[in-house]
């Protein structure tokens, strides 16, 4: 079942739209075409090569057309797939030293705050037990479940504190309470950070190759790219991972883990099972309908929050965002393809996880320093940092980016060292 919904906690940002030739190269004489060399910045290209090893349409100029040296707003053309003129150490040096300090008391204060709100919301909803109140509760509680996940996520990165045992205990309590296997997820998420932007090696929301995409049946394709189904993907990803990958976050023998991690995976699976058993027991005490209203529906709301946020941090930009293979990939170039997002009032509630670029490059930075660290790094990042659109109180505008990306970001070429998402024009029946 996982194969039709996924790519984790899996979906992609809109690459920059490259103009298509109006006529094929084979049907036009050389006198009518002015091939333009693509050599933005210090990219390794052969002297006589007309383009980089990129699976994007060749840029051509039709006779009589003005050459496009700038973007529509008059800025000089910027290639997001070009190697940056700065190093990871340059970004690190720009971030104030206090941004790296992990204060366990500060981290625990956020845990106390969020847990108190969760129980307060549940008590209020159960007290009023009114169908005018329940929808408000479901939205608020699902958002708070998502906030709990982000704090557990910090535990997994070690940005919660310098104490491994505190991170592990807090992470298990936070993640198990929302049915996430802490160590299983922590390890696969580490793989995602270490390989982000790599077509084959990335773990979460990585692109499908054209060959793999074409091997999927039509129903699987539709489910994978038709809302709301991709927004329900996370539990299935935990059990079966993404298309093209095998293993389970609950199975200690999965190839997700090495031998030394098996005990950790077993511990997390036991904690997850204990939480599931507790919910079953509560359904006998309180009734299954009450448990569904208090926990079940907020849980699925949390899953949708998780899938939307993680997807939009890696997909859905106005310009095409590159993915890499082979020697073109590096930790820095992969991390720079992530996207910051503004969530309005939700920013503080879900612990500024929208400041995702710096988090991806330096996951050791605590969430309460991410905004300051991002502001300090912007002068170094330059155009490689994509300024997020400002949100209203609630980030409804992000649904537009999500829908557009689902319609356009389907697969990448089987070949090429720097590739961009391509669109299947037949997916929604636009072409026969």
């Amino acid at each position: 079942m996982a194969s039709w919904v996924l790519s984790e906690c899996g979906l992609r940002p809109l690459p920059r739209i490259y103009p298509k030739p109006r006529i094929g190269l084979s049907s036009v004489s050389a006198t009518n075409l002015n091939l333009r060399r693509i050599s933005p910045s210090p990219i390794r290209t052969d002297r006589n090569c007309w383009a980089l090893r990129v699976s994007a349409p060749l840029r051509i100029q039709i006779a009589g057309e003005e050459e496009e040296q700038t973007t529509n707003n008059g800025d000089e053309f910027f290639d997001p797939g070009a190697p940056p003129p700065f190093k990871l150490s340059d970004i690190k040096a720009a971030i104030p030293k206090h941004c790296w300090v992990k204060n366990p008391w500060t981290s625990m204060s956020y845990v106390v705050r969020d847990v108190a709100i969760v129980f307060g919301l549940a008590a209020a909803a159960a007290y009023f037990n009114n169908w005018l109140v329940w929808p408000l509760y479901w939205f608020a509680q699902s958002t708070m479940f998502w906030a709990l996940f982000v704090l557990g996520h910090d535990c997994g990165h070690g940005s919660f504190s310098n104490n491994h045992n505190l991170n592990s205990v807090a992470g298990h309590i936070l993640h198990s309470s929302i049915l996430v296997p802490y160590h299983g997820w922590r390890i696969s998420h580490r793989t995602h950070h270490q390989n982000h932007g790599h077509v084959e090696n990335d773990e979460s929301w990585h692109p499908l190759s054209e060959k793999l995409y074409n091997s999927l049946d039509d129903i699987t394709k539709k489910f994978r790219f038709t809302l709301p189904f991709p927004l329900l993907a996370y539990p299935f990803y935990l059990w079966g991972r993404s298309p093209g990958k095998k293993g389970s976050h609950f199975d200690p023998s999965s190839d997700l883990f090495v031998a030394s991690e098996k005990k950790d995976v077993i511990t997390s699976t036991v904690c997850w099972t204990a939480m599931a058993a507790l919910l079953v027991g509560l359904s006998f005490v309180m009734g299954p309908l009450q448990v569904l209203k208090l926990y079940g529906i907020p849980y699925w709301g949390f899953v949708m929050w998780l899938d939307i946020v993680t997807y939009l941090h890696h997909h859905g930009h106005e310009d095409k965002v590159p993915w890499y293979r082979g020697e073109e990939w590096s930790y820095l170039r992969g991390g720079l393809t992530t996207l910051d997002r503004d969530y309005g009032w939700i920013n503080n509630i879900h612990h500024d996880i929208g400041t995702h670029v710096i988090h991806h490059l330096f996951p050791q930075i605590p969430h309460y320093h991410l905004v300051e660290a991002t502001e300090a790094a912007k002068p170094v990042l330059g155009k490689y940092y994509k300024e997020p659109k400002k949100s209203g109180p609630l980030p409804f505008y992000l649904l537009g980016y999500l829908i557009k990306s689902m319609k356009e970001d389907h697969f990448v070429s089987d070949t090429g060292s720097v590739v961009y998402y391509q669109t299947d024009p037949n997916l929604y029946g636009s072409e026969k």
Side-chain angles (χ1 to χ4, degrees):
M1 186 174 186
S3 65
W4 53 261
V5 240
L6 290 123
S7 202
E8 184 218 273
C9 220
L11 307 129
R12 328 278 53 130
L14 298 176
R16 189 177 191 279
I17 304 302
Y18 291 85
K20 292 185 178 179
R22 297 181 185 175
I23 31 183
L25 289 173
S26 60
S27 62
V28 183
S29 67
T31 59
N32 290 331
L33 296 176
N34 180 7
L35 295 176
R36 192 195 317 171
R37 290 178 181 271
I38 306 174
S39 57
S41 285
I43 295 191
R44 296 180 300 250
T45 58
D46 296 332
R47 171 180 269 177
N48 297 318
C49 185
W50 285 104
L52 298 174
R53 293 175 294 159
V54 179
S55 68
L58 179 65
R59 293 175 176 274
I60 70 169
Q61 179 186 349
I62 305 301
E65 283 190 338
E66 289 187 2
E67 186 174 355
E68 294 179 358
Q69 298 289 352
T70 61
T71 59
N72 292 335
N73 59 12
D75 295 334
E76 185 178 348
F77 172 73
F78 169 68
D79 180 6
F86 50 81
K87 299 178 181 179
L88 192 65
S89 58
D90 297 326
I91 308 173
K92 184 175 182 179
I95 299 174
K97 292 183 178 180
H98 68 265
C99 289
W100 303 87
V101 176
K102 309 165 190 176
N103 187 325
W105 293 106
T106 301
S107 297
M108 284 302 301
S109 70
Y110 283 105
V111 173
V112 172
R113 182 196 77 172
D114 288 0
V115 171
I117 293 174
V118 165
F119 279 100
L121 287 172
Y127 175 78
F128 288 105
N129 196 22
N130 187 298
W131 285 105
L132 294 177
V133 173
W134 283 115
L136 298 176
Y137 166 77
W138 293 331
F139 176 79
Q141 193 69 296
S142 65
T143 304
M144 291 311 303
F145 280 14
W146 164 235
L148 294 180
F149 176 90
V150 176
L151 291 177
H153 157 272
D154 283 5
C155 294
H157 279 300
S159 60
F160 190 86
S161 77
N162 289 320
N163 187 313
H164 174 75
N165 291 331
L166 176 60
N167 293 339
S168 183
V169 171
H172 273 97
I173 293 173
L174 292 164
H175 274 190
S176 297
S177 68
I178 49 175
L179 294 178
V180 176
Y182 172 69
H183 280 308
W185 169 87
R186 175 185 63 80
I187 294 166
S188 72
H189 190 66
R190 180 189 64 197
T191 302
H192 164 60
H193 268 257
Q194 292 175 342
N195 296 279
H196 180 264
H198 194 290
V199 175
E200 284 82 23
N201 297 340
D202 199 348
E203 173 65 23
S204 308
W205 295 121
H206 64 93
L208 299 178
S209 67
E210 186 171 8
K211 181 179 180 181
L212 179 57
Y213 176 84
N214 290 332
S215 70
L216 301 177
D217 59 73
D218 291 341
I219 294 178
T220 300
K221 292 177 184 177
K222 281 286 180 67
F223 274 122
R224 183 180 174 83
F225 296 104
T226 302
L227 296 174
F229 301 109
L231 305 185
L232 307 176
Y234 186 63
F236 303 101
Y237 163 74
L238 291 176
W239 286 101
R241 296 180 75 189
S242 307
K245 295 181 181 291
K246 297 180 180 180
S248 169
H249 290 74
F250 300 93
D251 181 4
S253 63
S254 169
D255 60 8
L256 270 168
F257 316 115
V258 298
S260 60
E261 295 168 333
K262 288 186 176 181
K263 289 184 178 179
D264 286 342
V265 175
I266 292 173
T267 299
S268 297
T269 299
V270 170
C271 290
W272 184 97
T273 304
M275 181 61 193
L278 175 62
L279 292 172
V280 172
L282 287 175
S283 68
F284 283 104
V285 175
M286 303 171 60
L289 181 59
Q290 191 73 346
V291 172
L292 175 66
K293 290 189 294 183
L294 286 171
Y295 186 93
I297 295 177
Y299 168 79
W300 281 106
F302 145 68
V303 167
M304 296 181 75
W305 261 118
L306 188 152
D307 284 331
I308 290 172
V309 171
T310 55
Y311 179 82
L312 289 175
H313 284 163
H314 305 287
H315 312 84
H317 197 258
E318 296 89 340
D319 295 330
K320 290 284 185 181
V321 178
W323 286 79
Y324 302 101
R325 289 189 176 101
E327 294 182 358
E328 290 293 343
W329 180 88
S330 71
Y331 178 84
L332 174 58
R333 292 175 75 181
L336 291 175
T337 63
T338 58
L339 302 167
D340 279 10
R341 299 290 188 181
D342 182 41
Y343 296 91
W345 289 345
I346 309 296
N347 284 332
N348 180 264
I349 295 174
H350 70 186
H351 309 294
D352 291 312
I353 194 62
T355 49
H356 206 67
V357 176
I358 289 301
H359 164 69
H360 238 285
L361 294 174
F362 305 109
Q364 308 86 1
I365 296 179
H367 74 264
Y368 40 85
H369 292 318
L370 284 175
V371 173
E372 183 181 357
T374 297
E375 291 300 320
K378 281 182 184 180
V380 179
L381 297 173
K383 291 185 178 181
Y384 285 88
Y385 179 78
K386 304 166 186 66
E387 193 74 41
K389 179 180 177 180
K390 293 301 179 183
S391 173
L394 296 176
F396 293 119
Y397 78 100
L398 288 174
L399 294 177
Y401 291 105
L402 179 66
I403 293 169
K404 189 172 187 289
S405 181
M406 286 286 174
K407 290 182 177 179
E408 298 182 3
D409 297 348
H410 299 152
F411 60 86
V412 298
S413 172
D414 295 319
T415 59
S417 299
V418 185
V419 295
Y420 296 84
Y421 267 112
Q422 300 180 41
T423 303
D424 177 5
N426 300 310
L427 180 61
Y428 298 104
S430 58
E431 292 184 13
K432 298 294 184 181

